[in-house]
């Protein structure tokens, strides 16, 4: 490669009923030296703010002159969902991260998925996909999908060896290309934002050093917990969820049957449901740290089985 540069490109998706063009910004940093093409994505879910800011700071921080290869960064993959600050696209109610690889002949979310795949996937050597807990929940783990060492390099204390969801961007990339994929679930719910911002940036930068995109010393992974069994607790009834734990308890374990929170009827004050730790002991992965409205089926808690988890020694 000859000259280092920084460009802003756009992925054109379609024309909206309003006459506005639906397009997605792509920040491309091209280094002088050869190296991998790393795709960094955020904002696949519209209510996940922190990954957008992490992406902005990573793009700002990296000088293309010292980059090897390319960084292709998409800070906001679903602008429609962001506009309404919802997980799903409001126009067709679909979840972009269940729609990959998309199609040209269906719902708008599928058009968006296809446009992203067509642009990003042929280029990529590695995918780093950033997520968060959304408007209310806070979450703290990194998937160990098909490259454990790269996932470890994100430096988060909790890893989860499970398959990502069918139709997610990560799953599509793994199934069709086999290229390394790291999916990080970083904070959210406006809890501990400064801490998660710092940890998210540090994780991305360390993965880039591990991949050889950036020079400098690779931070060695600390002792990490590799979960292989996880349970999602979803409310069976809507109401107000009263947490018994704050978000700062994520990453800690609690005894089986510990009361995590409860759902109360907003009108009658009746307790509709209690949420208890299912495993002996239970590792806290996602929680609602504040009083919040829940619908039946929402994410209330994600909990890991500490007993079947593997402790990975510090490197
Ligand atoms: Zn997400």
């Amino acid at each position: 490669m000859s000259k280092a540069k920084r460009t802003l490109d756009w992925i054109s998706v379609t024309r909206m009923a309003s006459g506005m063009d639906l397009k997605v910004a792509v920040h491309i940093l091209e280094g002088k030296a050869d190296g991998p093409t790393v795709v960094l994505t955020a904002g696949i879910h519209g209510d996940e703010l922190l990954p957008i800011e992490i992406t902005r700071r990573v793009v700002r921080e990296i000088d293309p002159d010292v980059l090897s290869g390319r960084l292709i960064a998409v800070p906001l993959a679903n602008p429609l969902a962001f506009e309404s600050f919802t997980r799903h696209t409001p126009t067709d109610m679909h979840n972009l991260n269940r729609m990959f690889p998309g199609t040209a002949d269906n719902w708008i979310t599928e058009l968006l998925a296809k446009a992203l795949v067509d642009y990003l996937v042929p280029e990529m050597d590695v995918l780093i996909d950033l997520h968060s807990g959304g408007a209310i929940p806070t979450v703290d783990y990194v998937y160990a999908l098909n490259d454990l060492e790269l996932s470890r390099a994100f430096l988060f204390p909790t890893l989860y060896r499970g398959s990502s969801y069918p139709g997610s961007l990560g799953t599509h990339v793994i199934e069709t290309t086999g290229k390394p994929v790291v999916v990080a679930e970083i904070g959210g719910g406006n809890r501990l934002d400064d801490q998660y911002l710092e940890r998210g940036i540090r994780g991305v930068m360390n993965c880039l050093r591990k991949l050889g995109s950036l020079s400098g010393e690779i931070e060695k992974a600390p002792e990490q917990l590799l979960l292989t069994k996880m349970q999602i607790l979803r409310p069976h009834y809507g109401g107000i969820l009263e947490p018994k734990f704050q978000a700062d308890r994520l990453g800690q374990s609690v005894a089986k049957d510990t009361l995590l929170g409860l759902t109360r009827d907003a009108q009658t004050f009746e307790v509709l449901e209690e949420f208890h730790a299912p495993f002996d002991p239970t590792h806290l992965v996602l929680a609602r740290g504040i009083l919040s409205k829940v619908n039946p089926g929402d994410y209330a808690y994600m909990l890991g089985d500490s007993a079947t988890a593997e402790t990975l020694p510090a490197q």
Side-chain angles (χ1 to χ4, degrees), residues 22-23 30 58 95 113 128 130 170 175 180 190-191 219 240 260 280 282 284 294 307:
L22 176 60
K23 54 185 188 168
E30 223 164 308
V58 166
N95 178 347
I128 302 175
L130 306 182
E175 286 177 354
N190 289 127
R191 305 293 104 186
E219 264 192 88
I240 294 177
L260 305 172
D280 185 20
T282 294
L284 301 171
V294 285

Side-chain angles (χ1 to χ4, degrees), residues 116-180:
L116 290 165
V117 163
D118 286 350
Y119 188 101
L120 299 173
V121 175
E123 303 287 321
M124 77 171 60
D125 293 314
V126 180
L127 171 67
I128 302 175
D129 185 24
L130 306 182
H131 289 260
S132 183
I136 306 286
T138 310
V139 66
D140 193 329
Y141 73 102
V142 171
Y143 279 95
L145 295 167
N146 64 347
D147 189 330
L148 178 63
E149 290 308 306
L150 192 59
S151 290
R152 290 200 72 182
F154 210 91
L155 307 170
F156 271 33
T158 305
L159 299 167
Y160 173 50
R161 181 183 280 148
S163 52
S164 188
Y165 293 93
S168 72
L169 179 57
T171 298
H172 172 71
V173 169
I174 289 169
E175 286 177 354
T176 59
T177 73
K179 300 282 171 66

Side-chain angles (χ1 to χ4, degrees), residues 45 48 87 131-132:
H45 292 127
E48 299 177 4
R87 184 173 169 80
H131 289 260
S132 183

